Each structure stands twice: as structure tokens, then as C-alpha cells.
Amino acid sequence: MAARVGHSGHAPQRGRAGQGGRAGRPPQRQGSGRKAGSSRQGGLEAAQRADLVQLPQELSVSPDPVSGRFSWLATPGQTRAVLEDFGLYAKHSLGQNFMVNDAVIGRILDLAQLAAGDAVFEVGPGIGTLTVALLRHAGAVVAVEADRDLPAVLAQTCQRDSERLALVQGDAVKVTPRQLSDALAGLGLPDVPHEPTQLVSNLPYQVAATVVLGTFEHLPSVRRAVVMVQAEVADRMCAGPGNRSYGAYTAKLGLWAHATGRFEVGPGNFMPAPHVNSAVVRIDRDPQADPSTGQPLTQAQLDWAERVIDAAFAQRRKTIRNSMGAVGFQKGSLDRAFQQVGIQPTMRAEKIGVQDFVRLSLALGAEDLADADGTAGAPGPAGAGE
């Protein structure tokens, strides 16, 4: 279900989310705000302050001239006020940890380099902490939210720019490109594309790896992703061959794109503080080409390369020859392909770079599986943690 925020039938709830200002409006200045709970809960714990992200001296983006912030919601007090006004709390089952450090928002915007012609795809907008900042810098935002309690919150916090925000209610892993396109088209903005151009999100960690790879696989209009993920997932996204974090996920992502930026985000930048470290990663689309012709790989070639990668990592501790042989590739065909592309059959998959996997996939075909129709023994996808 898609809706224009502020026009979805949800009546914005009255309260102090704007700290005394009109609902959905950023405060004119940051005062002490209202107190909620004990003094221990009134701000970030002292032990968490050490890992607060700081702004660099130079940024390519500027904060809102009225509030002096990138996001007026990115403070513990504002976040707590919004949640209390709506009787809400962070839901662990949905991976909710709310960003409460405005410097992180500024650095995300700096990496994204948004323009008025961008349509941003956001997953898990929450109460709108990042969303309000994205709306200032992009032409439109289409946000996917699984929590049914939050559309009413977003209608209030994003009220100022609601005509440029479309909300799709549902699971981001199951949302289709058509749903996103229809939601953007429904805004009726003539200068904004109907397909997302960037993925910019503080992603729910349990689906982060799947969402990022799926976006590059199925949304060719997305040229860049700037995402907050668990640090270990960021390691997999950024790893090179031979690194212990390099696996099937890394190699498959490398077919479509590569990491071009990263910064670390400690637990103290969130409320509640997660039990893991996080990182923001920028990934730019850069699809692999046929090394012999320089021509971009076709969709079918990319899909086949992913299957070859899954087979190579299917039994990670075995040699690539034994791992691929165990899931159905004929040993004779493998030996010919290894010799053709210069891969030692005794190597393990984690030592092989993305370009070599492309060469190997082009040297093999479905006919090289044990069953000539290419189905018997065909490798299944390796998990995001591989």
C-alpha cells in the first residue's frame, strides 16, 4: 500500500514533537526541551559519548538555516518527545534504533551528494529522522516502512515537505520495483523521476545485506547506495579477496557495484544503543563487463555469474574445484575452464577476485552441470553472511 504522507487518511496527532512549534515543523532553535524520565535518561550516557561521530571541518552540504541542524529530530530529547507523544517505543523485532546524533545525518548527506533531480529510496524511515534531511536535499523520497504505527508519526514530522514524500507500507524485501515507481508517480512531480536514483537509509540490520544487493540487482535506476549497516556487514561489503570478510555476498555485490566510502558509527549515536558497532557505507553502481570485449554483461550473464559464485562458496573450506563439483559441475568442464582463465583448481573461493569469477562464469555454461538441462545439482544462493 502506497500513500502520500499527510494525505493518507491518518490524522496527525497533536503533541510536542516539534517542542512547542507547529506539528511537523522543526523548532526555531534548540532549547533545553522537555524532560522525560530521570536525569540518567535525559541525554546520551557518558560512556557512550566517546564514540559520537563528529562533523569534519568541510562538508559539501549545509544544515537547515532555521534550526541550524541537518535533522531537527536527531537529538535524544526530540526523539523521546515524538515517541512519547504517540505512545511508542523502539521495537527490537523490527531492528529499530533511532539516530540521535545530527553529525551522522550530515555525513550521510555528504556521501550521498543528492540533487533536486534525485528520487531517494529509503527503507525503515522510523519517525523520519533521516527522512526530513533527505527531503531538503532531494526531489522526492519514497520510503518503505513495516511498522504500522509509524505512518501517523511521519505525517507529523515530515509535514513541511509531505507533498514530496510517498510511503509504501510493507516489507522492504518483498516490495517490487513497480510499487516504488507507482508511489513516486503518484506524487505528481514533473521534475522528479518515477524510478529511485539512490538508496539512502539507516537500514534495519536483519535485512540490510539483502536489501542492498537486491536494490542493485533489480533497480537499475539506482546509481548509488549510502546505507547504515552493522559493522560486520559493512566489512563484507568492502572486503577484497583474501580478507576473512570476503565471501559469496561480497563477490556477488561486486558484479554490480563497489564501495567508495565508509565511516564508523558507535552505539552511542543511537537510542536505544544497539549491542553492535555500525558503519555507513557508500556503494556506487559499477557493473562488471566482459573482459574480452569490454561490453557490459547481460542480465543473463550476471545471473549466471551469481550462480557460479554461489557454487564456488557452497563448501567454503574446500578447494574451488571440489566445492563446485559437489553441487553439480562436471569436473572435466571445471578443469578446462580453470585452465582457460588461469585459476588454480586447488585455490579456495575467498582468494578469487570478482573479475576472475566473471571470466570463470563466461567459460562455463549450464551444460557443464551434471544434468544437461542445468537444473540437477544447481547451486542455491549463499547467505548474506557468506
Side-chain angles (χ1 to χ4, degrees), residues 196 215-223 285:
T215 296
F216 282 108
E217 288 175 329
H218 304 302
L219 289 172
S221 59
V222 172
R223 69 179 188 277
R285 183 177 290 277

Side-chain angles (χ1 to χ4, degrees), residues 145-381:
E145 178 55 64
D147 190 340
R148 295 185 179 276
D149 290 329
L150 292 177
V153 182
L154 291 163
Q156 176 173 301
T157 59
C158 300
Q159 186 181 64
R160 184 171 69 176
D161 296 300
S162 62
E163 74 280 0
R164 295 188 291 109
L165 174 60
L167 182 65
V168 177
Q169 187 81 53
D171 183 345
V173 175
K174 298 177 182 178
V175 167
T176 66
R178 178 65 180 268
Q179 285 177 283
L180 299 178
S181 178
D182 287 349
L184 285 168
L187 293 176
L189 301 174
D191 299 324
V192 177
H194 294 170
E195 290 80 31
T197 58
Q198 291 207 39
L199 167 66
V200 186
S201 299
N202 175 16
L203 289 172
Y205 287 177
Q206 63 267 41
V207 298
T210 302
V211 167
V212 171
L213 180 58
T215 296
F216 282 108
E217 288 175 329
H218 304 302
L219 289 172
S221 59
V222 172
R223 69 179 188 277
R224 172 174 291 169
V226 179
V227 290
M228 177 93 69
V229 296
Q230 187 173 338
E232 289 184 359
V233 174
D235 291 343
R236 297 184 187 113
M237 292 175 173
C238 300
N243 185 291
R244 66 179 183 177
S245 297
Y246 182 82
Y249 179 84
T250 317
K252 288 192 288 187
L253 182 60
L255 293 173
W256 307 91
H258 70 281
T260 57
R262 172 176 178 166
F263 67 88
E264 310 306 308
V265 184
N269 295 277
F270 301 90
M271 189 182 80
H275 299 295
V276 296
N277 290 318
S278 307
V280 172
V281 181
R282 182 177 66 192
I283 305 167
D284 287 331
R285 183 177 290 277
D286 184 19
Q288 292 289 321
D290 185 329
S292 62
T293 66
Q295 295 298 311
L297 297 179
T298 66
Q299 183 66 49
Q301 288 173 324
L302 287 164
D303 291 343
W304 176 246
E306 286 197 351
R307 292 183 67 186
V308 169
I309 290 169
D310 282 331
F313 282 94
Q315 299 185 31
R316 185 172 179 135
R317 295 188 178 183
K318 290 189 175 183
T319 66
I320 187 172
R321 183 179 188 269
N322 289 339
S323 179
M324 296 185 71
V327 295
F329 279 92
Q330 300 175 33
K331 294 291 183 72
S333 298
L334 288 172
D335 290 339
R336 288 191 294 273
F338 291 147
Q339 184 176 15
Q340 178 180 335
V341 301
I343 292 176
Q344 294 296 321
T346 54
M347 293 179 68
R348 290 181 176 171
E350 65 261 28
K351 301 291 185 181
I352 299 172
V354 178
Q355 290 186 342
D356 283 334
F357 275 122
V358 170
R359 293 186 181 94
L360 180 61
S361 70
L362 293 173
L364 291 167
E367 67 276 6
D368 295 315
L369 288 165
D371 196 326
D373 66 4
T375 56

Side-chain angles (χ1 to χ4, degrees), residues 49-105:
R49 293 184 182 276
D51 63 18
L52 287 181
V53 171
Q54 304 295 322
L55 284 174
Q57 291 185 344
E58 294 186 7
L59 280 180
S60 62
V61 292
S62 58
D64 183 275
V66 176
S67 67
R69 307 184 65 83
F70 295 102
S71 172
W72 63 275
L73 287 164
T75 71
Q78 293 282 18
T79 298
R80 189 176 298 109
V82 170
L83 293 175
E84 289 184 357
D85 283 343
F86 284 85
L88 301 177
Y89 57 91
K91 297 177 182 178
H92 179 73
S93 62
L94 295 178
Q96 291 177 343
N97 299 95
F98 300 105
M99 175 57 55
V100 292
N101 182 359
D102 195 50
V104 177
I105 305 296

Side-chain angles (χ1 to χ4, degrees), residues 110-134:
D110 188 53
L111 283 178
Q113 297 288 295
L114 296 171
D118 278 313
V120 175
F121 173 29
E122 184 185 11
V123 174
I127 64 173
T129 306
L130 178 59
T131 317
V132 297
L134 296 175

